[in-house]
Amino acid sequence: MRRWQVVIGSCFVLGFVTAAIAGPLVAPHDPYRVDLARALAPPSPQFLLGTDTLGRDIVSRLAWGARVAFVVSTVPVIVALGIGLAAGVVAGYAGGLLDYGIMRILDVWLAFPTILLALGLAAALGPGLRTALIAMMVVNAPPLIRLVRGLVLAAKEHAYVEAARSLGASTPRVLVRHMLVNIVSPVIVYTTLQTGRNVILAASLSFLGLGIQPPAADWGVMLSEGRSVIALAPAVATIPGLAIFLVTLGFNLVGDGMRDILDPLMRS
Amino acid sequence: MRGLRFTRRRFVARGLTTMAGIWSSAIGERAGAAPAPIAGGTLVIGSEGQHQTLDPHVLTGTVTLHITSLIYENLITQDMTHPELKYVPLAPGVAESWTVSGDGTVYTFRIRSGVRFHDGTPLDAAAVKANFDRALDPSSPFYYPPAKGNLNFIMRWVDRVDAPNPATFIVRLKQPFPSLPEELADRRMGLISPTALRKAGNTDIGAHPVGSGPFRFGSKSTDNTITVDRNPAYWGTKPYLDRIIFRPYPDPTALGAALQTGEVDVVFTLTVDQLTTLSKDPNIQIQYTDLANVFFWMLNTRNGPTTSKQVRQALNYAINRRAISNELLKGSVRPCGGPAPVGNPVYEPALLPYDYNPAKAKALLAAAKVPLPLELVVMLPTSGAELTDAPAVGTVMQQELRDVGVNVAFERMEWAAFLAKAIKGLDDRTAALYTGWDTGTQDPYWFETMFSSASAPPNGPNRAWYSNSMVDQLLAKARHELNATQRITTYRKAVAIIADDAPWIFIYQDRWPRAIRTKVHGFVSVPCPYVDMTKVWLAK
């Protein structure tokens, strides 16, 4: 059962990654080519999913949008993972005042609503890809720091850590060779799920005009542009919406499935 | 002229008609005999965005002026019963007649007798003077600086005003200003009861509005819905309607939906999508008002490549206005390849010289010897109640300009941020800003506001620093010209030079479609955003 879930999810994720890498190379049209004469064309052999309000090919925009979505969903989570591991391990292992300090900062940090934060950043830096990436890193990092710290705190008490220490292992060695490998599974699961959530978050920011800006081929931008003709040509907004849905679903299935597989307690 | 208002597609118009036959043929609805008007009923109007204070002297934008124009009256008003004319003629309002001195500097108004404000106090010359004092005389107890700022388009030419007796009101000008009657019909010049003003105070009068109009203020609910009720003591033609409710909607989509469900009867703002959808609804008719307005990119004439006239002309030839109007905006706008739109008395086809000609654009760019591709930074408003089509139109223009070798990078800004920056004028790194404006009334005086070098920021809205001494001279001359024909001729000369100089990329004129449920009668299509609600009635 779990395997099916992972297999299906992986198919979606793989499709997404393939589209991100190869999509722009095989896209049949220029995703930015405006031609009002063919606006809102229905699906045809030339335009497989039709065209949008400005006559741009939806398939091509979708393909280019996959690359954008891939970058904005993975880059922030990778950076956040680095920050999370570093800060989380330090806080968890060192404990004491340092731990207390980091955790209180996180409390404040986590209290900020994501959109408000992005709004502030957009006001300061101007909306755009950079702003979206920074906003998402800022949002992605705190939960990872907390997660890692919690795992380290728990692992610290295990007998194998004590054994390694009493055998004279240095702190870095204990951390990397003994603890990190033992906490890595939940972290992988979390980052997988977060990548899926990031696809939605990035699209939301673009949709609100805080992230990637039109006329970029971005799923959130496509959704936002399609919204104005939702009654006339529902496909223009629903197709990118469907793409966001499938990719997020894919990551969720993979993440959930992996948690069940990797977590010994969940194994039946 | 209605000062500089940046706006977008919206607004509406007027109703009216003395002879029922005129309007039914004009609107092109319902053939056959026009039904007789029925008195009574409540009309519900959907407003886009929030209502502001009901003090006309400090208002801008037509959303709230729609309401105040029912409560307050002007010295001079507009006769909105002539859809066959391309303009809206003036008509006596509170002033039943007026005369001008031979040198054009003294206007004497005869105030209609027996007009009373809703609070029962008389509307006489002294009351009119109190209203002028509000914007004119710092020593008056009514003086209110925000009103002075907002009404400066008139008051800057006024030396002083007198009320020698209750029936006579005199305006003395610093210099001839033949546009005065037209400007006095601006809805911001509504007359407030001085008694009410004294009681409520300058800042609070908007919450307790007292005028003399055909409707009086009823109530304002916590959700900012405003009702006005028929004024049974009105001196003129009394309205058919018992009551009008103005209900605000924050989002244009919600507004369109409210119209379709019958929650509201009239909507003054339509998106292109709604226009297409609603025009298929048998219970709704779409009416175009065609008031004078232009949407454009102001080009930086002080710095950068757009200082070259050839470059500016090239940009104008690169734009396919017909495709933008007919295909992107579905006929809700019409191409406008010059500064003088239809509805302005200066308008003639020769003053709209620019059409789609990419080959000519390329040739002009080559002749200008600028490095290609040309890189331009353009400020583009993306949100808010104004210019909702700007991002889409901008994307199309970006493509068209790229085709002739001009790369446009948009600096996208939410409306408030856009306006805050635009008002300072274009900085040296910005080549253009995208905006539009309507002129409300049709006087050509506004050309001076937009194109005179004296009107550059911070003094006015000439935000791209256009300056041509010949144009300045002609516009100043036209402003004082007392002979009406000569005046128009002089304006045309100035406008022809402006068109040739191409300080803007002229794009389109919004036709201001509005949607009305078919049970509502009496809306007449004339080029004015407002409606004569005394002529509007509801079928059972």
Side-chain angles (χ1 to χ4, degrees):
Chain A
M1 182 59 214
R2 293 297 172 208
R3 297 210 179 264
W4 274 114
Q5 194 177 312
V6 176
V7 168
I8 296 172
S10 304
C11 287
F12 288 151
V13 171
L14 225 86
F16 173 53
V17 175
T18 313
I21 295 166
L25 305 175
V26 300
H29 298 277
D30 175 353
Y32 297 108
R33 183 75 222 178
V34 169
D35 184 353
L36 292 176
R38 64 181 197 212
L40 297 179
S44 64
Q46 194 192 358
F47 305 107
L48 289 176
L49 292 173
T51 61
D52 69 3
T53 45
L54 301 180
R56 295 172 298 198
D57 178 35
I58 292 179
V59 167
S60 305
R61 287 181 69 73
L62 215 52
W64 281 81
R67 178 170 288 186
V68 178
F70 181 74
V71 170
V72 293
S73 58
T74 53
V75 170
V77 88
I78 290 169
V79 175
L81 183 62
I83 298 172
L85 283 175
V89 166
V90 168
Y93 197 76
L97 209 57
L98 191 57
D99 180 33
Y100 184 83
I102 292 177
M103 285 306 112
R104 293 298 79 75
I105 292 170
L106 280 192
D107 287 342
V108 176
W109 199 343
L110 280 165
F112 258 95
T114 312
I115 299 292
L116 186 67
L117 197 72
L119 208 67
L121 280 169
L125 306 174
L129 178 63
R130 184 181 59 156
T131 302
L133 286 175
I134 294 175
M136 289 169 62
M137 282 170 202
V138 169
V139 171
N140 284 182
L144 268 163
I145 300 176
R146 258 184 189 279
L147 176 70
V148 172
R149 169 191 176 260
L151 292 167
V152 170
L153 271 183
K156 198 159 76 162
E157 305 307 326
H158 279 285
Y160 66 85
V161 173
E162 213 169 312
R165 253 202 237 114
S166 56
L167 286 173
S170 65
T171 300
R173 186 175 167 85
V174 171
L175 282 177
V176 177
R177 291 300 302 265
H178 298 275
M179 291 177 66
L180 217 50
V181 291
N182 277 294
I183 64 168
V184 79
S185 333
V187 172
I188 288 176
V189 170
Y190 182 84
T191 48
T192 310
L193 292 170
Q194 186 58 44
T195 309
R197 287 196 287 265
N198 278 356
V199 175
I200 294 186
L201 184 55
S204 312
L205 294 179
S206 309
F207 184 84
L208 294 172
L210 303 172
I212 294 157
Q213 296 293 299
D218 169 81
W219 294 351
V221 169
M222 291 171 72
L223 205 57
S224 164
E225 289 177 339
R227 188 185 58 139
S228 69
V229 290
I230 192 84
L232 270 187
V236 178
T238 45
I239 289 171
L242 196 65
I244 295 167
F245 168 71
L246 290 179
V247 170
T248 310
L249 180 68
F251 277 108
N252 282 348
L253 288 176
V254 171
D256 262 358
M258 283 203 319
R259 180 177 60 205
D260 298 352
I261 292 166
L262 292 173
D263 187 346
L265 295 178
M266 298 279 287
R267 254 179 239 158
S268 49
Chain B
M1 130 153 1
R2 154 153 314 273
L4 223 229
R5 261 174 316 88
F6 289 81
T7 101
R8 81 117 162 276
R9 94 188 20 279
R10 108 173 12 164
F11 301 135
V12 157
R14 79 260 33 302
L16 217 324
T17 155
T18 40
M19 292 168 296
I22 292 184
W23 66 264
S24 63
S25 59
I27 306 179
E29 59 170 17
R30 287 168 263 257
I38 300 167
T42 299
L43 181 74
V44 184
I45 295 176
S47 300
E48 187 197 15
Q50 282 304 312
H51 297 134
Q52 299 166 264
T53 173
L54 297 175
D55 175 353
H57 301 169
V58 300
L59 281 177
T60 55
T62 57
V63 175
T64 311
L65 283 168
H66 270 299
I67 308 173
T68 59
S69 68
L70 303 178
I71 300 173
Y72 303 100
E73 288 184 288
N74 293 28
L75 278 177
I76 297 175
T77 185
Q78 292 178 310
D79 178 356
M80 301 192 286
T81 58
H82 296 288
E84 75 283 4
L85 298 178
K86 284 281 169 235
Y87 65 98
V88 188
L90 294 179
V94 169
E96 61 185 8
S97 65
W98 61 94
T99 56
V100 195
S101 66
D103 67 353
T105 60
V106 182
Y107 282 75
T108 307
F109 297 88
R110 185 172 171 79
I111 305 300
R112 202 177 287 277
S113 70
V115 179
R116 287 185 177 273
F117 288 110
H118 302 151
D119 59 7
T121 57
L123 200 178
D124 54 14
V128 178
K129 183 173 186 302
N131 277 270
F132 274 74
D133 284 347
R134 200 171 182 224
L136 205 57
D137 180 6
S139 67
S140 158
F142 298 107
Y143 185 67
Y144 190 37
K148 175 184 164 47
N150 198 40
L151 302 180
N152 204 33
F153 66 102
I154 290 183
M155 300 305 173
R156 58 191 291 213
W157 309 115
V158 177
D159 181 31
R160 63 195 169 86
V161 294
D162 297 308
N165 61 60
T168 310
F169 178 67
I170 300 170
V171 177
R172 294 176 204 280
L173 300 175
K174 292 173 187 159
Q175 44 184 283
F177 181 50
S179 300
L180 183 72
E182 193 73 52
E183 301 311 322
L184 288 175
D186 188 292
R187 299 307 188 280
R188 287 174 287 178
M189 289 300 292
L191 299 169
I192 303 174
S193 157
T195 312
L197 197 53
R198 206 173 286 120
K199 204 188 291 173
N202 271 329
T203 50
D204 224 24
I205 186 68
H208 310 281
V210 179
S212 61
F215 290 87
R216 55 187 188 186
F217 178 67
S219 64
K220 175 173 173 169
S221 68
T222 45
D223 70 349
N224 214 347
T225 295
I226 292 173
T227 65
V228 295
D229 298 317
R230 177 184 10 215
N231 172 12
Y234 186 53
W235 62 267
T237 316
K238 292 185 185 60
Y240 297 114
L241 295 168
D242 289 334
R243 171 174 284 185
I244 301 177
I245 300 175
F246 290 87
R247 196 172 285 156
Y249 289 83
D251 174 62
T253 314
L255 197 49
L259 180 72
Q260 276 194 298
T261 59
E263 195 177 309
V264 305
D265 301 313
V266 180
V267 165
F268 295 147
T269 312
L270 293 175
T271 65
V272 173
D273 189 32
Q274 285 169 354
L275 186 66
T276 318
T277 315
L278 295 176
S279 59
K280 290 178 198 144
D281 189 326
N283 295 316
I284 288 164
Q285 58 162 325
I286 305 288
Q287 198 175 74
Y288 292 92
T289 55
D290 286 324
L291 73 148
N293 66 80
V294 194
F295 285 74
F296 51 86
W297 288 11
M298 269 186 181
L299 299 170
N300 194 336
T301 55
R302 194 173 70 176
N303 214 283
T306 47
T307 48
S308 154
K309 179 164 134 183
Q310 282 169 318
V311 168
R312 297 195 303 262
Q313 289 179 337
L315 299 178
N316 267 289
Y317 282 116
I319 304 306
N320 189 344
R321 296 171 180 80
R322 210 169 303 274
I324 289 172
S325 305
N326 298 340
E327 284 159 38
L328 180 65
L329 301 179
K330 308 289 179 221
S332 65
V333 307
R334 64 155 61 103
C336 185
V342 176
N344 189 286
V346 168
Y347 166 80
E348 53 184 16
L351 295 175
L352 307 182
Y354 298 103
D355 210 341
Y356 183 45
N357 192 339
K360 193 162 181 178
K362 282 183 194 161
L364 280 163
L365 284 174
K369 299 196 170 57
V370 285
L372 295 180
L374 209 55
E375 306 284 342
L376 303 181
V377 175
V378 178
M379 285 168 62
L380 176 75
T382 56
S383 70
E386 318 292 320
L387 288 154
T388 43
D389 301 316
V393 173
T395 305
V396 173
M397 290 175 68
Q398 191 178 36
Q399 169 76 56
E400 289 166 349
L401 291 170
R402 193 185 306 144
D403 289 344
V404 299
V406 178
N407 288 340
V408 169
F410 285 120
E411 192 176 339
R412 288 162 194 274
M413 269 176 283
E414 170 281 320
W415 177 248
F418 174 87
L419 199 56
K421 187 168 177 194
I423 219 156
K424 294 180 201 141
L426 288 181
D427 59 30
D428 287 348
R429 57 173 283 277
T430 310
L433 67 82
Y434 183 153
T435 188
W437 75 315
D438 78 89
T439 57
T441 62
Q442 320 116 69
D443 195 86
Y445 166 56
W446 65 267
F447 284 110
E448 187 169 356
T449 316
M450 292 311 275
F451 294 107
S452 127
S453 57
S455 196
N459 301 320
N462 180 1
R463 292 170 183 154
W465 320 105
Y466 174 62
S467 172
N468 181 324
S469 57
M470 192 65 184
V471 169
D472 286 350
Q473 282 170 26
L474 285 168
L475 289 174
K477 186 172 161 226
R479 188 204 322 131
H480 304 312
E481 178 60 60
L482 295 176
N483 179 313
T485 319
Q486 189 56 45
R487 194 158 168 262
I488 295 297
T489 310
T490 311
Y491 271 120
R492 283 199 173 130
K493 274 187 204 158
V495 171
I497 299 174
I498 295 168
D500 183 60
D501 276 348
W504 301 351
I505 302 182
F506 309 103
I507 314 171
Y508 60 78
Q509 173 175 10
D510 198 317
R511 301 194 61 204
W512 303 125
R514 59 187 174 205
I516 308 156
R517 292 192 70 80
T518 44
K519 69 167 184 178
V520 181
H521 296 253
F523 274 65
V524 179
S525 178
V526 296
C528 170
Y530 305 101
V531 182
D532 182 347
M533 288 291 177
T534 63
K535 303 293 190 291
V536 174
W537 56 277
L538 297 169
K540 291 292 175 213

